[in-house]
């Protein structure tokens, strides 16, 4: 399947094709007949077993993004929510970032960890400090982490990352366990990706930052990350190394958003064509203020409404992919994005190295300012109050449902028979172990309502029994 020599970034992210696509989209942005046709193409279709969805090409999706007709934009939002509910239900997966080290030899102009920043405090967690951070996260109720580290072969070699992963999985505190570690580190070799796979990671995540090659090179003047092709081809190397779940993302605000959007969808198309499965997740971060980083220095910032339209168009284009919005965004923005396709959020996040073990939020090692500073309990309660089921489930990874196997599950419409009961059981675990009394009351009311939605009687009864066991402190290792 993999011939890495034949995979070239500038072929699957074709600048000429992007420019032609944007020109086509601009010409057709008021073509109501075409736009309605594209929207109907995107709409999920009911089948005997669930739903199916065709998704959209980068050209069709770019036409929707260019559209300025209010009624058609509203239709986009409605269909995006319809797609999300059809394939992911009202579940929202919860995670937290864990920053291991901010040592970095790159000079990225949008990141405070850049090598020329001489006044930022540099810090690297020891394994004892990793354990302490994990315990703090477990005491909040987290089960899923995304580890982050700067690129520095001396301070953060792959051996250090692997040791940290082993440490994270080894910590069992009270009823706490981190059951899934996703990894967001610099592009690396096939051999190193294979080591990450063997370490039992979940998704490998890497933001492209920008797909515009000249802008990319300007924003990354020195360091290993300055190699556009090596960075852009990283997901192919990850998959060649055996990692079948990868997460894409661009940093909106660095370049013109329509260009970035088109490149992002083209990247997803490439992974689907070459590997038979597209990205497991797509993240939508925006440039935010941080130590010595002023977002106003980047002249491609996007307003909240444009940001919402981007998220909706991603959901229409790649219907089966999980979509992530982090605490970079405020509560109101996150609430709006939940309505147009987001399926994962972070909660109670600290973006500083060692940030979870300090009572006050440290700013000296933060990668970016956190806009949503609510506790995990507040986020969980908020999700339930907006009729979303907070999910701490990681069963798919522990049961081997990854890559094309997960996508088969999603595309067959079996989420309500698998992920939904697991979400309810892990929510019950959270309610018993970590929730405030008010959150606990709301949670069990939601669980009672949501159990009734599980279509298969045997699974519904099994889920109810397991939840009853959890409430009676009879714990098990659940997996469907």
């Amino acid at each position: 399947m993999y011939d890495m020599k034949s995979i070239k970034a500038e072929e699957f992210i074709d600048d000429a094709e992007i420019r032609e696509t944007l020109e086509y989209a601009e010409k057709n942005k008021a073509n109501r007949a075409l736009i309605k046709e594209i929207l109907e193409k995107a709409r999920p279709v009911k089948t005997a077993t669930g739903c199916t969805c065709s998704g959209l090409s980068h050209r069709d999706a770019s036409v929707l993004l260019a559209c300025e007709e209010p009624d058609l934009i509203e239709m986009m939002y409605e269909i995006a929510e319809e797609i999300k509910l059809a394939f992911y239900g009202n579940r929202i997966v919860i995670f937290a970032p864990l920053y291991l080290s901010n040592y970095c030899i790159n000079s990225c102009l949008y990141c405070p960890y850049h090598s020329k920043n001489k006044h930022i405090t540099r810090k690297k967690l020891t394994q004892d400090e990793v354990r302490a951070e994990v315990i703090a996260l477990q005491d909040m109720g987290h089960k899923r982490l995304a580890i982050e580290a700067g690129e520095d072969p001396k301070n953060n070699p792959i051996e250090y990352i692997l040791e940290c992963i082993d440490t994270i999985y080894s910590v069992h505190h009270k009823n706490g366990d981190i059951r899934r570690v996703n990894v967001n580190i610099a592009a690396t070799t096939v051999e190193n990706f294979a080591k990450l796979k063997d370490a039992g990671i979940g998704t490998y995540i890497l933001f492209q930052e920008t797909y515009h090659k000249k802008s990319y090179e300007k924003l990354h003047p020195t360091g290993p990350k300055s190699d556009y092709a090596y960075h852009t081809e990283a997901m192919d190397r990850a998959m060649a190394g055996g990692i079948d779940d990868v997460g894409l993302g661009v940093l909106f605000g660095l370049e013109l958003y329509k260009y970035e959007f088109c490149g992002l969808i083209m990247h997803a198309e490439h992974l689907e064509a070459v590997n038979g499965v597209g990205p497991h997740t797509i993240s939508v971060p925006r440039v935010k203020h941080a130590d010595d980083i002023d977002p106003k220095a980047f002249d491609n910032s996007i307003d909240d409404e444009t940001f919402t339209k981007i998220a909706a168009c991603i959901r229409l284009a790649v219907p089966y992919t999980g979509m992530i919005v982090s605490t970079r965004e405020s509560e109101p923005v996150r609430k709006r994005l939940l309505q147009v396709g987001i399926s994962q959020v972070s909660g109670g996040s600290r973006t500083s190295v060692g940030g979870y073990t300090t009572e006050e939020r440290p700013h000296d090692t933060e990668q970016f300012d956190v806009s949503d500073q609510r506790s995990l309990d507040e986020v969980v309660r908020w999700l339930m109050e907006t009729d979303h089921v907070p999910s701490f489930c990681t069963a798919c990874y522990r049961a081997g449902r990854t890559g094309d196997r997960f996508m088969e599950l999603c595309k067959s419409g079996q989420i309500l028979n698998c992920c939904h009961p697991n979400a309810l059981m892990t929510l019950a675990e959270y309610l018993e172990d970590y929730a405030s009394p008010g959150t606990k009351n709301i949670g069990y009311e939601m669980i009672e309502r949501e159990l009734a939605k599980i279509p298969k009687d045997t699974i519904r009864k099994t889920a109810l029994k397991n939840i009853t066991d959890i409430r009676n402190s009879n714990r098990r290792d659940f997996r469907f």
Side-chain angles (χ1 to χ4, degrees), residues 41-340:
K41 186 190 302 183
R43 194 184 294 275
V45 177
K46 290 185 178 180
T47 66
T49 57
C51 284
T52 186
C53 221
S54 64
L56 297 174
S57 70
H58 61 274
R59 285 215 167 187
D60 282 349
S62 292
V63 171
L64 295 186
L65 187 61
C67 173
E68 297 173 353
E69 305 287 321
D71 62 321
L72 296 180
I73 293 172
E74 190 57 37
M75 193 182 298
M76 289 180 212
Y77 294 168
E78 291 171 0
I79 296 174
E81 183 175 28
E82 187 179 344
I83 291 170
K84 194 272 175 183
L85 291 174
F87 298 106
Y88 284 92
N90 60 342
R91 297 178 308 111
I92 300 294
V93 171
I94 295 179
F95 73 98
L98 173 56
Y99 283 75
L100 302 176
S101 171
N102 63 0
Y103 283 95
C104 192
I105 60 173
N106 291 309
S107 57
C108 312
L109 301 186
Y110 50 83
C111 177
Y113 293 175
H114 64 85
S115 59
K116 294 181 180 179
N117 188 348
K118 300 304 181 184
H119 61 81
I120 192 173
T121 302
R122 299 289 175 175
K123 184 174 177 60
K124 169 186 174 181
L125 297 181
T126 66
Q127 295 309 305
D128 284 342
E129 289 171 329
V130 171
R131 290 186 188 90
E133 289 281 288
V134 169
I135 288 172
L137 284 157
Q138 289 173 345
D139 281 341
M140 291 184 202
H142 278 294
K143 305 296 182 186
R144 177 189 303 235
L145 303 182
I147 60 173
E148 320 264 352
E151 184 170 12
D152 187 327
K154 179 181 177 181
N155 288 291
N156 313 328
I158 190 65
E159 290 76 18
Y160 171 70
I161 302 300
L162 295 170
E163 185 180 11
C164 289
I165 294 170
D166 185 60
T167 296
I168 292 166
Y169 280 138
S170 73
V171 179
H172 309 289
H173 173 67
K174 297 180 180 178
N175 287 329
D177 289 284
I178 300 302
R179 297 170 179 167
R180 177 176 175 184
V181 177
N182 296 335
V183 174
N184 184 358
I185 61 170
T188 187
T189 63
V190 173
E191 292 73 21
N192 285 343
F193 282 125
K195 292 176 182 178
L196 290 171
K197 172 68 174 179
D198 291 342
I201 74 164
T203 305
Y204 173 69
I205 302 163
L206 184 67
F207 297 163
Q208 178 62 26
E209 320 300 6
T210 175
Y211 285 99
H212 190 285
K213 186 172 185 290
K214 288 185 178 179
S215 293
Y216 182 97
E217 291 171 346
K218 182 179 178 180
L219 290 161
H220 305 91
T222 61
K225 196 171 178 177
S226 63
D227 188 333
Y228 173 85
Y230 188 78
H231 186 84
T232 311
E233 295 160 9
M235 295 308 185
D236 292 285
R237 293 195 302 279
M239 289 185 159
I243 298 174
D244 48 9
D245 280 354
V246 298
L248 302 180
V250 295
L251 187 54
F252 285 103
L254 297 181
E255 184 47 75
L256 296 174
Y257 71 90
K258 293 178 181 177
Y259 190 102
E260 303 291 36
F261 173 85
C262 186
L264 181 65
I265 304 305
M266 289 174 72
H267 200 167
E269 290 171 343
H270 162 75
L271 293 178
E272 179 82 37
V274 173
N275 307 290
V277 60
H280 187 69
T281 60
I282 291 178
S283 299
V284 287
R286 286 191 286 185
V287 177
K288 293 292 182 179
H289 177 270
D291 181 276
D292 94 336
I293 301 298
D294 181 1
K296 294 179 181 177
F298 304 95
D299 57 5
N300 293 304
S301 61
I302 52 177
D303 60 31
D304 292 347
E305 190 55 40
T306 301
F307 191 45
T308 302
K309 187 160 66 163
I310 290 169
C313 288
I314 292 172
R315 173 52 69 209
L316 295 171
V318 281
Y320 304 114
T321 295
M323 288 181 61
I324 301 172
V325 63
S326 76
T327 52
R328 282 178 183 262
E329 299 298 335
S330 67
E331 175 185 344
V333 171
R334 300 213 307 166
K335 182 178 181 180
R336 185 70 182 104
L337 265 60
L338 286 173
Q339 298 170 325
V340 296

